Amino acid sequence: MKQFKAPQIPVAAVATGFPSGQYSLKTRLEEIKLAIEAGATEIDIVINRELALKNDWKGLYEEVKAMKSVCGKSVHMKSILAVGELGSFSNVYKASLVCMMAGSDFIKTSTGKEGVNATLPIGIIMCRLAILNI
């Protein structure tokens, strides 16, 4: 946005291999870094659903934490869960919780590319975390 002399306009960027999120962690971290260097003030990441489906919650936590670390405190990070690919309400709840605990500023249901996206039951599960102030 600097080239347009409009610094007051916030810039959000999707990173981490959108929409799949299945690139190597090193590549996803570099993508975040490059987006921030280009002026992004919000980074939207896509979680690695394979980790969630394998119940590797520690692995997912470490990846999301590493991504937030690259964002730092001044850049917001939104974690996109791709809920239609998580397989169960339990996985949606756990992935939501893990992302928030790892430092995500926001969580989002989907990339918009999955067959199932935001449904009322999924929205309720995710919102309950906000109500619990997690």
Side-chain angles (χ1 to χ4, degrees):
M1 295 310 291
K2 295 173 191 159
Q3 69 195 48
F4 297 112
K5 297 183 177 32
Q8 74 281 6
I9 299 173
V11 176
V14 291
T16 69
F18 183 87
S20 74
Q22 301 304 300
Y23 295 15
S24 72
L25 180 59
K26 180 179 177 183
T27 300
R28 290 181 284 152
L29 296 174
E30 185 66 19
E31 204 175 321
I32 292 168
K33 181 181 170 197
L34 292 171
I36 293 169
E37 288 174 359
T41 57
E42 178 182 309
I43 300 293
D44 294 6
I45 65 140
V46 184
I47 68 164
N48 183 338
R49 272 95 58 224
E50 182 180 353
L51 294 174
L53 293 171
K54 290 181 175 179
N55 290 305
D56 185 357
W57 303 112
K58 182 177 180 186
L60 180 60
Y61 174 85
E62 293 298 332
E63 281 198 0
V64 174
K65 186 176 176 183
M67 291 181 227
K68 180 57 182 172
S69 178
V70 174
C71 291
K73 293 183 182 198
S74 61
V75 175
H76 289 110
M77 187 179 81
K78 182 190 306 167
S79 293
I80 303 171
L81 305 180
V83 295
E85 297 177 358
L86 289 178
S88 70
F89 290 147
S90 178
N91 283 347
V92 170
Y93 177 81
K94 290 174 185 175
S96 299
L97 184 62
V98 165
C99 287
M100 296 303 289
M101 290 175 65
S104 297
D105 296 293
F106 309 98
I107 53 175
K108 182 180 175 190
T109 56
S110 68
T111 65
K113 307 291 184 190
E114 303 86 32
V116 175
N117 298 313
T119 65
L120 183 58
I122 286 171
I124 291 170
I125 290 167
M126 292 172 70
C127 286
R128 289 191 75 175
L129 292 173
I131 292 167
L132 296 172
N133 199 24
I134 294 174

